[in-house]
Amino acid sequence: MRKSARFNPDFPHLYLMMNKPLGAVCAVASDSHPTVFSFLDDEKKKQAFLAPRGVRLHTVGRLDSDTSGLLLLTTDGRFSHHITAPESAINKTYLVTLKKPIADPAQQEDYIKKCAAGLLLPPDHKAQQEKSAPARLTFRSPDICTITVTEGKFHEVRRIFRALGNEVSALHRLSIDSLQLDKNLVPGQYRELTQEEILSFKK
């Protein structure tokens, strides 16, 4: 049986981890924001702009301009699809700062239970009202929590908290599956994934 290209050394691909800065967009070009590709060296920019389709460097999913943290870029379309497809149910964990602190333990527990059951997400631009899959919520303080989602719906985390009657004032992605954002990367910096990190997604 033919092996998947992302795990076959005969088909080398590029896999990058970036600490996406606030204000940057996951687009090739923008008139109003810097793009994540502007932080790459010249050789990698060529892979993003000049390489043929199928081996072009692209972002694995998107983070909006107001979200920072772990972003993956790759030339491997199968790798991207595996991570972003809802049926893969890959965990994505975010650090959330809430606009309205929740100090009451009972209200925190109510938030946790509602996230675990799934919420009816309000419409947001192109996204219609829809149900979210179960999410795991943990409070670190009244205004700081982490949330783990698996779907990647449009503005999903922000819409979850709107459904709970709150707002997100800051959002930072910490991890994708078992891959943690490298703490040595300052915003805008990136590095290649290790072979072990790439293969961890095979599971």
Side-chain angles (χ1 to χ4, degrees), residues 4 34 42 49 69 76 93 104-105 117 124 132 163-164 181 184 192 195:
S4 169
D42 289 342
F49 302 135
D76 187 343
T93 300
D104 181 8
D124 187 346
S132 70
L164 291 167
L181 176 63
N184 293 317
E192 292 191 23
Q195 188 68 12

Side-chain angles (χ1 to χ4, degrees), residues 74-136:
T74 187
T75 56
D76 187 343
R78 295 185 181 184
F79 180 82
S80 297
H81 178 75
H82 172 65
I83 292 174
T84 59
E87 58 268 23
S88 296
I90 299 290
N91 289 331
K92 291 98 175 172
T93 300
Y94 296 80
L95 183 68
V96 181
T97 303
L98 296 176
K99 187 173 183 179
K100 296 189 295 184
I102 306 299
D104 181 8
Q107 191 175 6
Q108 289 184 5
E109 187 61 29
D110 182 59
Y111 270 39
I112 292 168
K113 288 181 178 179
K114 286 179 177 177
C115 285
L119 290 136
L120 192 60
L121 304 180
D124 187 346
H125 295 88
K126 62 184 180 183
Q128 298 180 345
Q129 187 181 62
E130 57 190 334
K131 183 75 179 290
S132 70
R136 185 169 67 252

Side-chain angles (χ1 to χ4, degrees), residues 1-28:
M1 187 172 76
R2 185 178 181 275
K3 294 182 180 179
S4 169
R6 71 189 132 110
F7 303 121
N8 190 335
D10 295 331
F11 297 88
H13 280 287
L14 182 63
Y15 306 86
L16 303 177
M17 169 195 298
M18 176 182 285
N19 185 354
K20 179 195 169 294
L22 287 173
V25 294
C26 296
V28 174

Side-chain angles (χ1 to χ4, degrees), residues 21-193:
L22 287 173
V25 294
C26 296
V28 174
S30 173
D31 294 331
S32 55
H33 297 276
T35 78
V36 294
F37 297 99
S38 68
F39 297 95
L40 301 176
D41 63 43
D42 289 342
E43 189 59 35
K44 292 180 178 61
K45 285 179 182 176
K46 289 179 183 179
Q47 289 181 274
F49 302 135
L50 302 177
R53 290 186 180 276
V55 291
R56 190 172 296 170
L57 186 64
H58 59 275
T59 63
V60 179
R62 291 174 178 265
L63 294 177
D64 62 39
S65 63
D66 296 327
T67 303
S68 60
L70 177 59
L71 178 69
L72 298 180
L73 299 94
T74 187
T75 56
D76 187 343
R78 295 185 181 184
F79 180 82
S80 297
H81 178 75
H82 172 65
I83 292 174
T84 59
E87 58 268 23
S88 296
I90 299 290
N91 289 331
K92 291 98 175 172
T93 300
Y94 296 80
L95 183 68
V96 181
T97 303
L98 296 176
K99 187 173 183 179
K100 296 189 295 184
I102 306 299
D104 181 8
Q107 191 175 6
Q108 289 184 5
E109 187 61 29
D110 182 59
Y111 270 39
I112 292 168
K113 288 181 178 179
K114 286 179 177 177
C115 285
L119 290 136
L120 192 60
L121 304 180
D124 187 346
H125 295 88
K126 62 184 180 183
Q128 298 180 345
Q129 187 181 62
E130 57 190 334
K131 183 75 179 290
S132 70
R136 185 169 67 252
L137 179 65
T138 303
F139 278 87
R140 295 187 176 184
S141 69
D143 64 336
I144 302 292
C145 56
T146 60
I147 188 168
T148 300
V149 297
T150 60
E151 291 181 299
K153 284 186 168 69
F154 182 74
H155 289 176
E156 183 175 12
V157 173
R158 297 180 188 277
R159 293 164 70 200
I160 284 173
F161 285 98
R162 286 189 199 127
L164 291 167
N166 211 319
E167 294 285 340
V168 172
S169 62
L171 190 59
H172 180 81
R173 185 153 67 187
L174 297 171
S175 64
I176 299 174
D177 200 31
S178 62
L179 181 66
Q180 305 282 328
L181 176 63
D182 190 330
K183 294 181 179 179
N184 293 317
L185 295 177
V186 301
Q189 285 188 331
Y190 62 92
R191 67 165 174 81
E192 292 191 23
L193 295 186

